[in-house]
Amino acid sequence: MYDLPDLNRFVEVRPGLFRCTIIWNINKFVDVPVATFLVRCDSLDQGTNPAHDWLLVDSGAPMQVETLLKAIAGVLTHEKDTLRYICITHAHIDHTGATPALLQKYPECKAVIHVEEKPFICEGKSLRSCSSDTWSYTLFKPFSHEADVRLPEDRTVTLRDGDQWEFDHILQFVETHGHTPGSASYIHIPTRSIMVGDAIMNIAANPWWSKVPCISGPMAISTCHWGNAMKAIDKILTLKDKVDTVFPAHDFNTDGIHIDQICEFRKPSSL
Ligand SMILES: [Zn+2]
């Protein structure tokens, strides 16, 4: 049913950028692909100084931890290889699941999060406390997933747009809030790719009976502020001078989405 080459293992989708998709069985009827990304921090003099520092963008759902750890171990095979940062797009459980296990396995590793996401990821604040501009979130938030991790503050780096961090020459942090108050995206500068978490999705329009990919915004029932979520997509479109490919976290397409296709998707409302 899922003909994805990166199912349960990392595949290099762009030079130095690897994707692993794991299927998340939300319930008996609905399963959703969840992608995580490994980034190799290549240095300029690769011949004499091979890269051993790695970054991870998102860390999957809690029930996927074992599969993800195995997939990471399949790529970080050199004794010097180490995970330096886990760059989290937002607090939802399908994006943060393996973070505690990875922080334990790699003592030098830290999580990168947006400053507005810190209360949910480090302090136990409920995502259900968010006020919303839609009836659907307001109605369904009692049933929504909470962030399921409590990361120690000293193992996190909090950022806002424009802040510098150790690997910002490779992964640029971009605020794309709306889906959650501190949702973020990451531009992989060397390959002109952006990992957008749930700001844009590319799964079936109706996952109950279809697997045909379909570009959409985030799921309304789990999106705190719909107006801001649409502004986030428009912000991603303004990055066209730096970005060719958009990689959503939930995507049935192996090769990401060309940014022009996102333009087409937003055209009716943005013109
Ligand atoms: Zn998600």
Side-chain angles (χ1 to χ4, degrees):
M1 191 195 293
Y2 300 102
D3 193 19
L4 291 166
D6 64 330
L7 194 63
N8 298 339
R9 68 193 186 100
F10 280 97
V11 166
E12 195 164 9
V13 288
R14 296 288 185 278
L17 177 65
F18 300 69
R19 192 183 85 162
C20 170
T21 298
I22 303 175
I23 304 300
W24 179 27
N25 306 109
I26 297 180
N27 57 42
K28 226 162 88 183
F29 307 104
V30 182
D31 39 36
V32 171
V34 180
T36 56
F37 299 84
L38 268 175
V39 174
R40 190 178 58 221
C41 298
D42 294 336
S43 54
L44 295 174
D45 53 344
Q46 268 296 289
T48 51
N49 185 17
H52 294 299
D53 288 335
W54 292 81
L55 314 174
L56 183 72
V57 178
D58 278 345
S59 65
M63 56 293 290
Q64 303 171 329
V65 170
E66 217 172 291
T67 312
L68 183 63
L69 292 184
K70 228 165 145 185
I72 292 171
V75 179
L76 275 63
T77 51
H78 193 282
E79 56 174 339
K80 287 188 184 165
D81 282 345
T82 190
L83 192 63
R84 296 292 310 282
Y85 291 94
I86 304 163
C87 301
I88 294 174
T89 61
H90 62 291
H92 286 159
I93 55 164
D94 52 324
H95 302 263
T96 54
T99 308
L102 288 165
L103 292 186
Q104 200 174 9
K105 183 167 179 185
Y106 299 98
E108 304 296 314
C109 183
K110 289 187 175 184
V112 174
I113 56 176
H114 189 286
V115 66
E116 301 290 341
E117 215 69 348
K118 188 179 164 194
F120 310 112
I121 292 178
C122 300
E123 296 158 15
K125 186 178 176 186
S126 171
L127 280 157
R128 294 170 192 168
S129 65
C130 300
S131 56
S132 173
D133 60 339
T134 64
W135 64 267
S136 55
Y137 185 78
T138 307
L139 195 66
F140 285 102
K141 69 180 178 181
F143 311 104
S144 64
H145 290 115
E146 289 291 354
D148 204 26
V149 295
R150 296 289 173 269
L151 303 187
E153 245 177 80
D154 62 348
R155 299 294 298 274
T156 61
V157 174
T158 52
L159 298 178
R160 282 191 185 280
D161 255 358
D163 286 350
Q164 293 188 315
W165 71 288
E166 190 176 353
F167 289 99
D168 58 12
H169 56 293
I170 295 174
L171 268 192
Q172 184 189 335
F173 178 89
V174 182
E175 286 178 2
T176 46
H177 60 94
H179 183 52
T180 63
S183 284
S185 300
Y186 297 88
I187 300 175
H188 186 234
I189 295 168
T191 65
R192 299 177 54 84
S193 306
I194 185 166
M195 285 145 281
V196 296
D198 289 2
I200 294 165
M201 296 172 79
N202 194 31
I203 55 173
N206 195 325
W208 276 265
W209 57 75
S210 168
K211 302 290 177 215
V212 180
C214 172
I215 297 171
S216 71
M219 275 178 72
I221 56 168
S222 61
T223 295
C224 297
H225 196 289
W226 188 255
N228 287 342
M230 293 303 104
K231 281 184 198 160
I233 299 177
D234 293 337
K235 181 175 180 179
I236 290 164
L237 292 175
T238 67
L239 302 170
K240 264 188 92 168
D241 58 329
K242 293 180 180 179
V243 169
D244 294 324
T245 310
V246 175
F247 284 106
H250 305 295
D251 188 358
F252 277 121
N253 185 356
T254 321
D255 206 34
I257 309 166
H258 196 279
I259 198 160
D260 288 344
Q261 288 177 266
I262 312 287
C263 271
E264 283 297 309
F265 161 72
R266 277 295 283 159
K267 218 178 188 177
S269 52
S270 56
L271 282 183

